[in-house]
Amino acid sequence: MPPAPNPERRSAQSRRATLDATIELIARDGYANVTIEAIAAAAGVSKATIYRWWPSKGHLALDAINERVGQALDFPDTGDIAADLCAQMTEVVGLLNSDIGTVYRGLIGEAQSTPVIGAAIRESVVDAQTEACQARLAKAVAAGQLRTDVPTRAMVEMLIAPLHYRMLLGTDVLRPQDLPDLIGYCLDGLRPTSG
Amino acid sequence: MPPAPNPERRSAQSRRATLDATIELIARDGYANVTIEAIAAAAGVSKATIYRWWPSKGHLALDAINERVGQALDFPDTGDIAADLCAQMTEVVGLLNSDIGTVYRGLIGEAQSTPVIGAAIRESVVDAQTEACQARLAKAVAAGQLRTDVPTRAMVEMLIAPLHYRMLLGTDVLRPQDLPDLIGYCLDGLRPTSG
Amino acid sequence: MPPAPNPERRSAQSRRATLDATIELIARDGYANVTIEAIAAAAGVSKATIYRWWPSKGHLALDAINERVGQALDFPDTGDIAADLCAQMTEVVGLLNSDIGTVYRGLIGEAQSTPVIGAAIRESVVDAQTEACQARLAKAVAAGQLRTDVPTRAMVEMLIAPLHYRMLLGTDVLRPQDLPDLIGYCLDGLRPTSG
Amino acid sequence: MPPAPNPERRSAQSRRATLDATIELIARDGYANVTIEAIAAAAGVSKATIYRWWPSKGHLALDAINERVGQALDFPDTGDIAADLCAQMTEVVGLLNSDIGTVYRGLIGEAQSTPVIGAAIRESVVDAQTEACQARLAKAVAAGQLRTDVPTRAMVEMLIAPLHYRMLLGTDVLRPQDLPDLIGYCLDGLRPTSG
DNA sequence: CCTTAAGCGAGACGGTACGTCCAGTCTTTTA
DNA sequence: TAAAAGACTGGACGTACCGTCTCGCTTAAGG
């Protein structure tokens, strides 16, 4: 095992170039068709430098995504749960239809054979989003806008799963304008019965 | 290009051994960690024979799945749409939790970087299932049990997407006993408003 | 450990091209400056093929030499020991001043840090030459032309060592016309004392 | 090109540690198996410091040898040429059988592919020894103990070459007790013919 | 005393080659 | 004539050093 490198001496420029090249190449050629060597060449960086800071292509790609998305994608709270969900999910759909989305798709592909990557995706992406969404839904439940007998986690999955399904298995990408209907159908089943 | 081989002279035994080894190895080691060479060795078959009959690991794995699942998984029609959906989806969940599921997961992973495989999965697996489900839902719509203003395709996705989401991104596999609730929440939003 | 390859199926053409490229490149660039990758590229052969048949650059280079020199370099026997030695050693000097000599030098260099190569050189080159020379000298001893109290092995080294010394440590290569004097000085000390 | 470093400010301690580590590591692992990085680590010195003062591993190793051997190894002059040669060469053999010898062997190996090192070895080691030996032999010639028609340079090579030959190509190291015979055979051919 | 300029350790960097592995093609032999 | 066996080219893998570089730290000299 090599001694852990010292992050303080890390070259910011190499880091930047590597992360950028990662996203650019994966967006162009597809996750599995991109090699670490190609990333190194495109970034003008040596392979050793990449391996010094990232243990695998998966970790590198995930890092690249997280860095781009930041801690963004917070849920608004206007009181109108349908509108708020729609606003936030529209942003998500925008991301998924961008280069980031292509990288994300590839990463989920990788995760099917590399459990470590699956765990890392959950930890740094999925869980954060899920919890934020659950929080917003919980407020709606408290406000009497949603049923109390459905766990918010189940609600989240009902809303989010179709996005992933379309991205991973569909031909046509999910368009932002499809969101209101989709959300509507879900909420219809999640509202308290008036009787 | 070599002349297309004559399927009539094909060795049934080699085919069997190859398909079986494919599923066994992928179930054990994960899709991406299995090489064609390993499959050939495990099946006691030569690499050339595999390449003669399948253009890629993806096509081979897909073939192996289809052969196991057959044209099964038809939807029953007892008149009770919730019960019928639950019965069929229980079978699907059973498959996804078996070796077949592992191969299917890996295949969807592959599809993220190999569009041909994505198309092949849709053609031979997804579309058939979707259409069968749509047909059963259409009957329920006609019987006045479901709303007429929601496309059956959208209904199908609401039901099926969470299964895939859990399989591809979850830690805990979806258990059969979770199905009734899941289906219930969906149908609650899909039933005609009584007023 | 990979299964031993089957020599009968070996590609004669790849073997030829590899051995030729080895000698050519080493003669041009010097032993240590030649990489296996460069040999592979120059020979139009893949690295894997080289590693399949030779365990290291040293073994490859030694093979290349042996193949060129063959079992040649036998000692003549005209009855005149001085003339016979001179004739044979002239041939040796010719070889050492050719491409083969450059490879041989490099190989001896390698042997200084890689005992396996040293042993292989001795086994396939040095010992054969030494024994042939000893045999010729033994005849001269039996014929009363050389002292009986000096081991033939010591005689061989007295004759052969200066060639190596000049090759490995000298600036000016040893010229064929220097041989008669060199041999003469040695034999002067090795003839029976007439008194 | 960086400005030449100022030797007056050089750290004597770093120099010592580097030279010692060089000999120790090469004696243990063999010349070619020792990296500059390993020397730096073993000496507790940074790579840059080594590169600041020595242009290559070869120059470093040669420096290490010279520093150990000093200007020693002068030829005695008791009047008995055989005894004097034997005395001095015994010392040489002692050195060659020590750690220094291992380094020297490796260095000669390096010289086969790096002409600069060959020249440096000749300049700082071989030539000095040769000249000293020639000087002693010249005295013997003048004293009528050796032939006048053989260049002293040729005499030196006859004596010295077998030592190198054994060191570079032999299995068994040359033992000190072998020296008298070896020298005897040579001198037998180099003495004036009494008739 | 205080600054400055060098040598120094540490170690990150762009490269190059390593020896291994597998993809996908091809040839030879067996049934 | 399909299939088994397996050698072949090609190319990426992840590792190890190369020789260069930039960083702070120490240390001695000169103002």
Side-chain angles (χ1 to χ4, degrees):
Chain A
M1 184 173 16
N6 179 348
E8 297 191 8
R9 312 195 112 208
R10 183 170 190 179
S11 158
Q13 182 183 328
S14 292
R15 196 186 106 95
R16 261 268 57 75
T18 303
L19 293 172
D20 290 348
T22 300
I23 289 184
E24 189 176 343
L25 290 192
I26 293 181
R28 199 187 63 196
D29 299 335
Y31 181 88
N33 306 311
V34 170
T35 66
I36 297 255
E37 286 198 338
I39 293 173
V45 144
S46 93
K47 268 202 294 179
T49 299
I50 295 186
Y51 283 111
R52 178 156 32 232
W53 299 108
W54 295 280
S56 75
K57 185 169 66 169
H59 291 89
L60 169 54
L62 185 54
D63 211 1
I65 286 183
N66 281 329
E67 214 244 2
R68 282 276 177 96
V69 177
Q71 301 305 330
L73 301 185
D74 288 331
F75 278 77
D77 184 357
T78 66
D80 179 344
I81 180 66
D84 289 353
L85 285 174
C86 192
Q88 200 269 352
M89 286 172 71
T90 300
E91 274 198 74
V92 170
V93 166
L95 268 181
L96 294 185
N97 284 333
S98 73
D99 285 358
I100 301 293
T102 307
V103 181
Y104 187 51
R105 282 183 62 189
L107 220 25
I108 295 179
E110 167 93 66
Q112 303 316 310
S113 304
T114 315
V116 185
I117 294 300
I121 296 175
R122 277 191 296 278
E123 189 182 343
S124 70
V125 180
V126 178
D127 287 355
Q129 285 296 305
T130 302
E131 279 158 28
C133 189
Q134 280 185 272
R136 179 64 190 85
L137 290 167
K139 286 191 207 162
V141 171
Q145 297 162 348
L146 294 179
R147 290 162 61 172
T148 57
D149 62 332
V150 179
T152 52
R153 167 125 187 250
M155 293 183 182
V156 172
E157 289 191 358
M158 284 178 67
L159 290 160
I160 274 184
L163 263 58
H164 286 84
Y165 180 77
R166 283 285 188 100
M167 175 179 74
L168 297 169
L169 270 166
T171 37
D172 42 353
V173 284
L174 194 139
R175 294 163 308 167
Q177 57 264 40
D178 298 332
L179 278 172
D181 278 352
L182 180 67
I183 295 171
Y185 303 148
C186 288
L187 293 188
D188 283 349
L190 298 175
R191 282 201 204 83
T193 46
S194 50
Chain B
M1 183 170 18
N6 179 348
E8 298 191 5
R9 302 196 135 222
R10 182 171 190 179
S11 155
Q13 181 185 329
S14 292
R15 196 185 106 94
R16 261 268 58 74
T18 304
L19 294 171
D20 290 348
T22 300
I23 289 184
E24 189 177 342
L25 289 191
I26 292 180
R28 198 188 64 196
D29 299 335
Y31 181 87
N33 306 313
V34 170
T35 66
I36 297 259
E37 272 186 352
I39 294 174
V45 142
S46 99
K47 272 205 291 179
T49 300
I50 294 185
Y51 282 110
R52 183 163 20 236
W53 298 108
W54 294 279
S56 76
K57 185 169 67 169
H59 292 90
L60 169 55
L62 186 53
D63 212 1
I65 286 183
N66 281 328
E67 214 244 2
R68 283 276 176 98
V69 177
Q71 299 306 327
L73 302 184
D74 288 331
F75 278 79
D77 184 357
T78 66
D80 180 343
I81 180 67
D84 290 353
L85 285 173
C86 192
Q88 201 269 353
M89 287 171 72
T90 299
E91 273 197 75
V92 170
V93 166
L95 268 181
L96 294 185
N97 284 334
S98 72
D99 286 358
I100 302 292
T102 307
V103 181
Y104 187 52
R105 282 183 64 188
L107 220 27
I108 294 178
E110 165 93 66
Q112 303 315 310
S113 304
T114 315
V116 187
I117 295 300
I121 297 175
R122 276 191 296 277
E123 190 183 341
S124 68
V125 179
V126 178
D127 287 355
Q129 284 296 304
T130 302
E131 279 159 27
C133 189
Q134 279 185 272
R136 179 66 190 83
L137 289 167
K139 286 191 206 162
V141 171
Q145 297 163 348
L146 294 178
R147 288 163 63 173
T148 57
D149 63 332
V150 179
T152 50
R153 164 124 189 252
M155 295 182 181
V156 173
E157 290 190 358
M158 285 178 66
L159 290 160
I160 274 183
L163 263 59
H164 285 86
Y165 181 77
R166 283 285 188 99
M167 175 179 73
L168 297 169
L169 270 167
T171 37
D172 43 352
V173 284
L174 194 139
R175 295 163 307 168
Q177 58 266 39
D178 297 332
L179 278 171
D181 277 353
L182 180 68
I183 295 171
Y185 302 148
C186 287
L187 292 187
D188 284 349
L190 297 176
R191 269 191 276 276
T193 46
S194 50
Chain C
M1 183 172 16
N6 179 350
E8 297 191 8
R9 309 195 121 210
R10 183 170 189 181
S11 157
Q13 181 183 330
S14 292
R15 196 185 106 95
R16 261 268 58 75
T18 304
L19 293 171
D20 290 348
T22 299
I23 289 185
E24 189 177 343
L25 290 191
I26 293 180
R28 199 188 63 196
D29 299 335
Y31 181 87
N33 305 312
V34 170
T35 66
I36 297 258
E37 285 198 338
I39 294 174
V45 143
S46 94
K47 269 203 294 180
T49 299
I50 294 186
Y51 282 110
R52 173 152 40 226
W53 299 108
W54 295 280
S56 75
K57 185 169 67 169
H59 291 90
L60 169 54
L62 185 53
D63 211 1
I65 287 184
N66 281 329
E67 213 245 2
R68 283 277 176 98
V69 177
Q71 300 306 329
L73 300 184
D74 288 331
F75 278 78
D77 183 357
T78 65
D80 180 344
I81 180 67
D84 289 353
L85 285 173
C86 192
Q88 202 269 351
M89 287 171 70
T90 299
E91 273 198 75
V92 170
V93 166
L95 267 181
L96 294 184
N97 284 334
S98 73
D99 286 357
I100 301 294
T102 307
V103 181
Y104 187 51
R105 282 182 64 188
L107 220 26
I108 295 179
E110 166 92 67
Q112 304 315 310
S113 304
T114 315
V116 184
I117 295 299
I121 296 175
R122 276 191 297 278
E123 189 182 343
S124 69
V125 179
V126 178
D127 287 355
Q129 285 295 304
T130 302
E131 279 159 27
C133 190
Q134 279 185 272
R136 180 64 190 85
L137 290 167
K139 286 191 207 165
V141 171
Q145 296 162 350
L146 294 177
R147 290 163 63 171
T148 56
D149 63 331
V150 179
T152 52
R153 164 124 188 248
M155 293 182 182
V156 172
E157 289 190 359
M158 284 178 68
L159 290 160
I160 272 182
L163 262 60
H164 285 86
Y165 180 76
R166 282 285 188 98
M167 176 179 74
L168 296 169
L169 269 168
T171 37
D172 42 353
V173 283
L174 193 139
R175 295 164 308 168
Q177 56 264 41
D178 298 332
L179 279 172
D181 278 354
L182 179 68
I183 295 171
Y185 304 148
C186 287
L187 293 188
D188 284 349
L190 297 177
R191 282 201 205 85
T193 46
S194 50
Chain D
M1 184 171 17
N6 178 353
E8 298 191 7
R9 302 195 133 216
R10 182 171 190 181
S11 156
Q13 181 184 330
S14 292
R15 195 184 106 95
R16 260 270 56 77
T18 304
L19 293 171
D20 291 347
T22 299
I23 289 184
E24 189 177 343
L25 290 192
I26 292 180
R28 198 188 64 195
D29 299 335
Y31 181 87
N33 306 313
V34 169
T35 66
I36 297 258
E37 275 187 347
I39 293 174
V45 143
S46 97
K47 272 203 293 178
T49 300
I50 294 185
Y51 283 109
R52 178 155 34 229
W53 299 108
W54 293 279
S56 75
K57 185 170 67 170
H59 292 90
L60 169 54
L62 185 53
D63 212 1
I65 285 183
N66 282 329
E67 214 244 1
R68 283 276 176 97
V69 178
Q71 299 307 326
L73 302 186
D74 288 330
F75 279 79
D77 184 357
T78 66
D80 180 345
I81 180 67
D84 290 354
L85 285 174
C86 193
Q88 200 269 352
M89 286 171 70
T90 300
E91 274 198 74
V92 170
V93 166
L95 267 181
L96 294 185
N97 285 333
S98 72
D99 285 358
I100 303 293
T102 306
V103 181
Y104 186 51
R105 282 183 64 188
L107 221 25
I108 295 179
E110 165 93 65
Q112 304 315 310
S113 304
T114 315
V116 188
I117 295 300
I121 296 174
R122 277 191 297 277
E123 190 182 342
S124 68
V125 180
V126 178
D127 287 356
Q129 284 296 304
T130 302
E131 280 159 27
C133 189
Q134 279 185 273
R136 180 65 190 83
L137 289 168
K139 286 192 207 163
V141 170
Q145 297 163 349
L146 293 178
R147 288 162 64 171
T148 57
D149 63 331
V150 180
T152 52
R153 165 124 188 251
M155 294 182 182
V156 173
E157 291 189 359
M158 284 178 67
L159 290 160
I160 273 182
L163 263 60
H164 285 84
Y165 180 78
R166 283 285 188 98
M167 174 179 74
L168 298 169
L169 270 167
T171 35
D172 41 353
V173 284
L174 195 139
R175 296 163 307 168
Q177 56 265 42
D178 298 331
L179 277 172
D181 278 352
L182 180 68
I183 295 171
Y185 303 147
C186 286
L187 293 187
D188 284 348
L190 297 175
R191 269 190 276 275
T193 47
S194 51

